[in-house]
Amino acid sequence: MNQDKSGVWNSWNENISYNYKSLYKINSEEELQEVVRNSEKIRVFGNKQSSSDIVSGASTLVDIKTYNKILSFNDSEKTVTVQSGVILGDLLEVIEARGWCIPCLPDINTITIGGALTTGTHGTSGKLLSEYITKCTIILADGSLKEITEKEELIHAVRVSLGVLGVLSEITFKCEDIYTLHVKEGPENDSDWLPKIKERLKKHDFLRILWLPHTDKGYVIIGDKISADTEIKENLGPKFLKHRRKASKILYKYTHVFPWITAIANKLLYRGFFSSTKEHKGSLYQATVTKSRGSTLELAEWTIGLDKFPKVFEELKTEINKWSNKSFIHIPMDIRFIYKDTSWLSYAYKEDTVTMGCVSRNAATADSYEAFKSIEKIFLKYGGKPHWGKRFTAKDAELSKIYDKWENFKKLRKELDPNNKFLNPYLAELFNEKPSTNETT
């Protein structure tokens, strides 16, 4: 293994920094066990694409990206076993070549598998990525290995763990046969797309809505499974659509100083980049996943029960359209749908949910982005849940009210990690634990 000593860890947007004593790059499970066993405080990170302060802030850090082998396949069960540092895009390309897919994928492919699982990463019109785990091994605080299968009760806690129960080592995923998706995209008025959500979820295999605040419009993306040889009339839209992020960066440059400019910028961006229709086909991965983020962002995301969403949406829309507030929101707000599961810290625990993402394209000024505060206030009011890897300020007092298994998870965490080895200052506050004096700042 490689070890760097006494350095500074910076987040992808360089708005979070921590000193560390040791940073390791490991290549084997045995090396990972050794580092965990011999560390007082340890956190693991991948490509740093979390907006929350979850992955660093410990004296010992592990860069998991070098622990990235695809270990084995089971053709009869359609499973693949990988190390937790493998990049999602690399995994997806390998299983597609095998004629398989994971049937619900997040929007970005550059995240590590371990990070995606521990923070509850998801796609749309399916379940959390972690729900497709059939077996995994974690390295406990004492350095020992523990294997957990989908038949054990413990899997419901481990699937979304925030990395505080142990370090994910090897993961086995259940795959399905690859399929082709016929995707149609286009703008709709809010009064049209909002009442059609449940109908479309039943009718289509894929549904995603990019809401365009301050325009009364949504950009609706639907997908249906078709035979791979079905011919469609492909329409990828005007060539200038590829410049949307560049145009957004220019138009939003001064919105932290003059928030009301956002409403004007959104109208211009709608007309330029969201007013046309598109039609194409491909695998779920090829047709729906962003292959390059292109620029750093700061993100918040909240989830709410499917039945509650229309009311929450209307209240949010009313609030942000008031010119008396500063919550003018950059477009788009990403609306996706997760089916209920039984994972303790899942956003969809025993309830079909809607997720709504909020983006600040001025990462350096995200701390003063009022929209994050307004969205959190409204979603918490209705029992909404935050995405673990994105921005929110709610802590133990609020989270205990919205997660049925919060106290169960805290008890289990303490049993598996009695000395708080896997807590950084942010997580210590989240779980209402006193940080130890040797944690880094």
Side-chain angles (χ1 to χ4, degrees):
M1 74 180 85
N2 295 325
Q3 179 186 9
D4 294 332
K5 293 185 176 181
S6 300
V8 179
W9 182 94
N10 293 303
S11 64
W12 71 327
N13 285 331
E14 298 188 347
N15 55 355
I16 301 173
S17 295
Y18 283 107
N19 297 321
Y20 62 81
K21 293 181 180 178
S22 296
L23 189 156
Y24 293 91
K25 293 184 178 180
I26 54 92
N27 299 290
S28 69
E29 190 170 63
E30 291 76 18
E31 289 178 351
L32 187 54
Q33 286 180 267
E34 180 183 344
V35 174
V36 172
R37 183 184 304 114
N38 295 327
S39 299
E40 279 191 48
K41 289 287 184 180
I42 184 169
R43 292 300 292 169
V44 175
F45 70 92
N47 268 339
K48 305 182 181 180
Q49 291 177 300
S50 172
S51 291
S52 66
D53 191 3
I54 193 173
V55 297
S56 187
S59 55
T60 300
L61 300 179
V62 176
D63 183 344
I64 202 69
K65 295 192 300 296
T66 53
Y67 187 58
N68 60 0
K69 292 184 176 63
I70 296 173
L71 298 171
S72 64
F73 298 92
N74 185 315
D75 291 322
S76 62
E77 296 182 3
K78 287 193 179 71
T79 61
V80 56
T81 300
V82 303
Q83 293 175 332
S84 59
V86 72
I87 300 298
L88 179 62
D90 295 339
L91 170 61
L92 295 176
E93 289 177 5
V94 168
I95 65 171
E96 280 212 348
R98 210 171 186 88
W100 298 350
C101 73
I102 297 174
C104 189
L105 297 176
D107 176 56
I108 188 168
N109 70 344
T110 53
I111 50 181
T112 58
I113 288 295
L117 298 175
T118 55
T119 57
T121 296
H122 61 88
T124 187
S125 307
K127 295 188 176 183
L128 297 186
L129 188 64
S130 58
E131 290 298 311
Y132 300 99
I133 297 175
T134 61
K135 182 175 65 175
C136 66
T137 56
I138 63 172
I139 299 173
L140 300 178
D142 63 1
S144 63
L145 281 177
K146 185 171 183 61
E147 183 179 280
I148 307 157
T149 72
E150 62 182 338
K151 296 180 181 179
E152 298 174 60
E153 182 66 22
L154 186 58
I155 196 72
H156 302 302
V158 170
R159 280 194 163 120
V160 184
S161 71
L162 283 64
V164 300
L165 303 182
V167 177
L168 271 175
S169 177
E170 296 181 3
I171 305 110
T172 299
F173 287 100
K174 176 69 173 177
C175 302
E176 295 183 1
D177 289 330
I178 197 170
Y179 58 85
T180 300
L181 207 60
H182 180 196
V183 179
K184 296 180 180 179
E185 309 178 14
E188 290 185 16
N189 294 327
D190 292 345
S191 57
D192 291 328
W193 66 259
L194 185 61
K196 294 180 182 177
I197 286 176
K198 287 188 177 181
E199 171 191 338
R200 280 176 162 158
L201 286 172
K202 291 180 181 178
K203 183 178 180 180
H204 302 290
D205 298 297
F206 182 93
L207 176 64
R208 181 181 184 184
I209 298 158
L210 304 178
W211 185 51
L212 314 176
H214 315 299
T215 70
D216 296 321
K217 302 284 186 180
Y219 188 78
V220 179
I221 306 169
I222 59 173
D224 298 294
K225 293 179 182 179
I226 58 172
S227 172
D229 56 7
T230 300
E231 293 186 6
I232 67 163
K233 188 176 182 180
E234 187 175 77
N235 171 22
L236 299 180
K239 291 184 179 180
F240 62 77
L241 292 181
K242 64 183 179 180
H243 299 298
R244 175 165 64 86
R245 289 193 180 95
K246 184 177 181 180
S248 298
K249 187 175 182 180
I250 294 170
L251 288 169
Y252 292 139
K253 186 174 182 179
Y254 297 107
T255 54
H256 63 289
V257 180
F258 305 106
W260 56 270
I261 295 175
T262 304
I264 299 171
N266 286 5
K267 290 177 172 60
L268 294 173
L269 288 166
Y270 160 68
R271 292 178 182 176
F273 298 97
F274 292 98
S275 59
S276 57
T277 59
K278 295 169 67 176
E279 185 172 354
H280 52 100
K281 73 174 184 177
S283 68
L284 179 65
Y285 175 47
Q286 296 301 332
T288 68
V289 176
T290 299
K291 306 304 184 294
S292 173
R293 182 63 80 195
S295 61
T296 54
L297 310 167
E298 281 295 295
L299 298 154
E301 182 178 276
W302 286 81
T303 66
I304 195 72
L306 180 60
D307 292 332
K308 296 178 182 177
F309 177 71
K311 185 175 182 179
V312 173
F313 174 81
E314 293 293 359
E315 184 167 330
L316 175 63
K317 181 177 177 179
T318 299
E319 179 66 24
I320 68 171
N321 281 339
K322 293 177 182 176
W323 284 79
S324 59
N325 77 75
K326 297 180 180 179
S327 296
F328 293 88
I329 300 178
H330 300 171
I331 63 174
M333 290 191 77
D334 200 353
I335 299 173
R336 293 176 288 174
F337 308 90
I338 308 174
Y339 299 136
K340 62 184 176 182
D341 58 48
T342 55
S343 295
W344 290 4
L345 296 192
S346 166
Y347 324 113
Y349 180 72
K350 295 187 177 180
E351 181 180 40
D352 291 340
T353 60
V354 182
T355 77
M356 194 171 195
C358 179
V359 59
S360 169
R361 297 193 178 275
N362 289 331
T365 60
D367 288 345
S368 60
Y369 189 54
E370 290 291 327
F372 289 156
K373 302 174 187 177
S374 296
I375 290 168
E376 178 161 351
K377 181 179 178 180
I378 290 172
F379 272 84
L380 276 177
K381 175 182 174 181
Y382 291 95
K385 299 174 181 177
H387 190 296
W388 296 117
K390 300 178 183 178
R391 280 184 171 242
F392 62 94
T393 62
K395 297 294 186 292
D396 179 72
E398 295 90 352
L399 298 172
S400 63
K401 296 175 183 176
I402 55 180
Y403 282 92
D404 293 348
K405 292 288 189 176
W406 184 251
E407 296 302 328
N408 301 73
F409 186 87
K410 287 175 63 178
K411 181 180 178 182
L412 176 64
R413 190 206 68 76
K414 198 65 177 176
E415 291 173 358
L416 295 181
D417 183 20
N419 295 317
N420 297 336
K421 178 178 285 193
F422 300 121
L423 292 189
N424 65 6
Y426 172 84
L427 290 165
E429 187 177 2
L430 193 75
F431 288 106
N432 194 27
E433 293 280 356
K434 292 182 179 179
S436 62
T437 56
N438 62 351
E439 287 175 353
T440 58
T441 58

